[in-house]
Amino acid sequence: MVNFKLTINYLMNDTNLLYTLALQKAANIGDITAKKLVQHCGSAEDIFKEKDNFLQKINGIGSYICKSLKDKNLLISAEKELKYIQSNAIQHWYYQDDNYPKRLKHCIDGPILLFHSGTINLEQQHIISIVGTRNITNHGKRICEDIVEELSVLNPIIISGFAYGTDITAHKAAIKNNLQTIGCLAHGMNQIYPKVHKKYMRDVEANGGFVTEFWSNSNPDRENFIKRNRIIAGLSEATLVIESAEKGGSLVTADIANSYNREVFALPGRPDDKFSIGTNNLIKLQRAQLVTSAADIAYMLNWDVKQSKKPIQPQLFVDLNPSEEKIVAYLKGKDKVGLDVIARNCDLPIYQTSSTLLNLELKGLTRPHPGKQFELIA
């Protein structure tokens, strides 16, 4: 049994947090092993008070891990971090708590402890991560902004990594459209990376906030970004990759999302565009579904426009693609028309007709009715 002499008297909830911090800090113990230990012992505190012979009976727990738990510096470091958390009023989610993000709770390697700030409210069911290259092109930036704007009628939460390029484009687009947005950090709450993005912090926290599993003394080291990516993928129901070179962090996020059985979407690009090689490969290898608009995403995720909290206003001047023009022309002067009838008369497959009608609804041009009936809004 390990006995530690603490220098501070803690309340019960602070005691639980203290020992969880110590467990999080222990060498050779990741989130999967930590959860296994808690499951067998009851709590983080009980782990440190348990005898070695009991711990070593747990599958995968040997003398090496038991030795890590005896490190007396763990609780010393945990006390220091707890003081920082208390003095800065940093909020946290513990993986067994009811308020821990539901989707992340289903991820076997989700953090046992997650710190957060701002006004985050994860009750909204529509949550999507948007990732991509830090060297986003003007084309990619425009598409990203358009998709967020078009999705805004469905009031989704936009998650990204607050990095250069695609990340900050997605966050800014969410703020512009009054959407909640969450930045997943690869470092502690006592700093921001990159520093140039500090000017966006207030707006993000007013429209969502930040999350991280890292302590205040953690810097934005390379390996932290990989760990951060699993949180981006785990918090959301789908991940959209805007642009990516042949290799990049956004592709790692896509792989993790696939491993969680979450939807992955990617925007196609020109074959000779180096910032589309990654997204094109995702589509070609069937690791992501091809999307070109917000309507594609809403259709594939089965998001119901009728549940929108924002009114859809008809637009006076709208750019229509050929499929949209066909349907609008066909519906002019008609009453409610069934989906299959529209598809047949417009010579379009059902799936494309459904997606196109959703896109027109997002633009405020069509209205759905029960029984898969649609009409044009005058």
Side-chain angles (χ1 to χ4, degrees):
M1 183 181 294
V2 184
N3 293 310
F4 293 101
K5 183 178 180 181
L6 305 183
T7 58
I8 302 176
N9 292 321
Y10 295 98
L11 297 173
M12 179 59 71
N13 60 339
D14 287 338
T15 300
N16 291 335
L17 178 55
L18 174 72
Y19 280 97
T20 302
L21 287 165
L23 180 61
Q24 192 181 40
K25 192 71 171 179
N28 310 308
I29 298 180
D31 293 295
I32 297 175
T33 301
K35 292 173 185 177
K36 182 187 296 185
L37 287 165
V38 171
Q39 180 182 2
H40 282 82
C41 298
S43 70
E45 181 179 2
D46 291 333
I47 294 169
F48 285 95
K49 294 182 177 180
E50 192 54 76
K51 294 180 180 180
D52 287 2
N53 59 3
F54 175 84
L55 293 176
Q56 291 184 33
K57 290 178 182 178
I58 302 172
N59 184 36
I61 307 300
S63 59
Y64 203 49
I65 287 178
C66 289
K67 183 179 179 181
S68 297
L69 292 169
K70 290 181 179 179
D71 183 355
K72 294 184 178 180
N73 289 320
L74 289 178
L75 280 181
I76 295 174
S77 298
E79 284 187 23
K80 182 178 179 181
E81 187 64 17
L82 182 56
K83 288 180 182 178
Y84 177 83
I85 291 170
Q86 292 172 327
S87 61
N88 290 276
I90 293 176
Q91 307 166 77
H92 68 276
W93 292 311
Y94 178 58
Y95 85 101
Q96 289 187 330
D97 290 342
D98 291 338
N99 61 355
Y100 188 88
K102 291 181 176 62
R103 289 189 174 89
L104 196 58
K105 187 173 284 192
H106 294 301
C107 303
I108 188 172
D109 59 348
I112 59 170
L113 196 61
L114 196 59
F115 309 108
H116 61 100
S117 67
T119 55
I120 296 173
N121 179 4
L122 294 174
E123 292 304 311
Q124 168 57 255
Q125 65 175 9
H126 298 327
I127 306 178
I128 187 168
S129 295
I130 298 179
V131 298
T133 177
R134 298 186 179 196
N135 300 303
I136 189 171
T137 65
N138 288 332
H139 172 73
K141 183 178 179 181
R142 179 180 62 79
I143 295 296
C144 180
E145 291 170 342
D146 288 347
I147 285 178
V148 172
E149 181 179 2
E150 290 166 7
L151 284 176
S152 67
V153 296
L154 296 165
N155 201 35
I157 297 173
I158 306 297
I159 296 177
S160 199
F162 208 61
Y164 291 110
T166 304
D167 290 10
I168 198 63
T169 298
H171 290 303
K172 289 168 67 177
I175 292 168
K176 180 181 178 181
N177 289 279
N178 298 312
L179 297 177
Q180 188 178 171
T181 187
I182 299 173
C184 294
L185 305 178
H187 49 75
M189 286 287 192
N190 64 331
Q191 59 181 302
I192 200 68
Y193 176 85
K195 290 183 179 180
V196 69
H197 288 171
K198 188 174 182 179
K199 59 188 175 184
Y200 303 118
M201 287 182 64
R202 182 176 296 179
D203 287 338
V204 169
E205 292 196 321
N207 291 270
F210 296 95
V211 298
T212 184
E213 66 179 313
F214 299 104
W215 286 21
S216 60
N217 60 358
S218 297
N219 294 316
D221 298 325
R222 182 180 179 87
E223 61 271 17
N224 289 357
F225 287 94
I226 302 299
K227 293 187 70 177
R228 181 275 311 266
N229 289 347
R230 83 189 194 287
I231 299 175
I232 294 176
L235 283 170
S236 58
E237 62 184 296
T239 294
L240 169 63
V241 186
I242 298 293
E243 289 179 324
S244 174
E246 188 171 7
K247 296 181 180 180
S250 58
L251 301 183
V252 174
T253 307
D255 285 341
I256 295 172
N258 274 310
S259 74
Y260 292 157
N261 291 319
R262 308 292 168 82
E263 294 286 354
V264 178
F265 304 121
L267 291 173
R270 297 187 305 272
D272 60 346
D273 184 348
K274 67 177 182 178
F275 292 121
S276 292
I277 295 175
T279 50
N280 287 342
N281 284 341
L282 283 173
I283 296 167
K284 182 168 61 177
L285 298 173
Q286 298 183 344
R287 301 288 293 170
Q289 298 190 65
L290 184 154
V291 296
T292 58
S293 68
D296 293 337
I297 295 170
Y299 172 73
M300 292 179 190
L301 292 176
N302 198 29
W303 286 358
D304 190 351
V305 176
K306 289 180 289 185
Q307 295 176 356
S308 168
K309 294 183 179 180
K310 297 183 179 182
I312 303 175
Q313 298 295 334
Q315 301 177 38
L316 296 178
F317 304 100
V318 184
D319 291 328
L320 302 178
N321 62 38
S323 297
E324 292 168 344
E325 288 178 350
K326 276 186 180 181
I327 291 177
V328 168
Y330 174 71
L331 289 177
K332 278 184 179 178
K334 293 182 176 64
D335 203 357
K336 303 171 188 176
V337 183
L339 173 64
D340 55 341
V341 176
I342 298 172
R344 185 168 60 252
N345 282 277
C346 293
D347 195 26
L348 296 169
I350 288 288
Y351 78 89
Q352 185 178 350
T353 304
S354 180
S355 176
T356 303
L357 282 164
L358 179 57
N359 205 21
L360 290 169
E361 188 178 349
L362 291 173
K363 293 178 178 180
L365 298 179
T366 60
R367 180 184 296 116
H369 294 278
K372 296 184 178 180
Q373 301 275 318
F374 299 84
E375 69 173 338
L376 193 67
I377 296 176

